[in-house]
Amino acid sequence: MSNNTTTFYSKMLSVINASEAVFYKYNDVEHQYSDLSARVSQFNSVLAGLKREKIAVYTDKCFDAYACIYSVILSDNIWIPLSKDLPAERICSILHVSQPTHIFYDHSLEDSVLEVIKKNGISAISFESVHALEQNT
């Protein structure tokens, strides 16, 4: 990474870890930066040891999605966004071409997508399983 990029990510991480301001608000749900820091740490525990890997994220816009994306980027991996609004054929095509090593998801995956994941040896990780890690520690 270039020096400017490293400085940018260092500042971003510093804000995430130090600020008590509201990071995310949707209807009556609010999350502070400290919540983001804790959730990024959960995702980081799954990404430990991975560098410059392609990581797909299949989700809507939500607090966990942002935490997952920050975790992928701040852990020096490559984020491949997948919208749940895409047709299964398009998701399969993106997975085939991009060849991620992992996919995080928070929605059920269609059978054709699961087949591509299995065929390509992609590690599929649900947001729910990441949350369970916190409860087991």
Side-chain angles (χ1 to χ4, degrees):
M1 264 194 250
S2 74
N3 203 23
N4 288 342
T5 304
T6 302
T7 301
F8 171 79
Y9 287 130
S10 294
K11 286 181 181 179
M12 180 188 290
L13 190 57
S14 176
V15 168
I16 290 171
N17 288 329
S19 179
E20 284 300 320
V22 172
F23 166 76
Y24 177 87
K25 183 174 181 167
Y26 181 76
N27 293 329
D28 293 337
V29 177
E30 282 189 2
H31 291 282
Q32 277 68 36
Y33 277 94
S34 58
D35 300 326
L36 177 64
S37 178
R39 193 58 53 91
V40 166
S41 292
Q42 286 179 302
F43 283 104
N44 280 345
S45 69
V46 176
L47 296 172
L50 300 179
K51 294 283 184 218
R52 306 299 301 157
E53 297 290 340
K54 297 174 186 172
I55 312 294
V57 180
Y58 177 70
T59 184
D60 286 331
K61 291 180 182 177
C62 65
F63 172 73
D64 283 334
Y66 292 114
C68 184
I69 293 164
Y70 279 128
S71 180
V72 170
I73 293 169
L74 292 172
S75 64
D76 198 23
N77 287 291
I78 303 157
W79 167 46
I80 300 169
L82 296 172
S83 170
K84 74 169 190 79
D85 296 328
L86 292 172
E89 301 81 35
R90 180 69 179 131
I91 293 170
C92 291
S93 175
I94 292 169
L95 292 174
H96 178 73
V97 170
S98 64
Q99 299 181 334
T101 58
H102 296 73
I103 182 171
F104 285 100
Y105 64 94
D106 71 343
H107 297 283
S108 59
L109 299 165
E110 291 194 30
D111 289 341
S112 59
V113 175
L114 289 170
E115 187 176 314
V116 169
I117 289 170
K118 183 177 180 180
K119 179 181 174 186
N120 291 291
I122 301 167
S123 178
I125 306 153
S126 70
F127 282 13
E128 190 174 278
S129 69
V130 173
H131 293 208
L133 293 173
E134 176 185 41
Q135 296 169 357
N136 293 334
T137 57

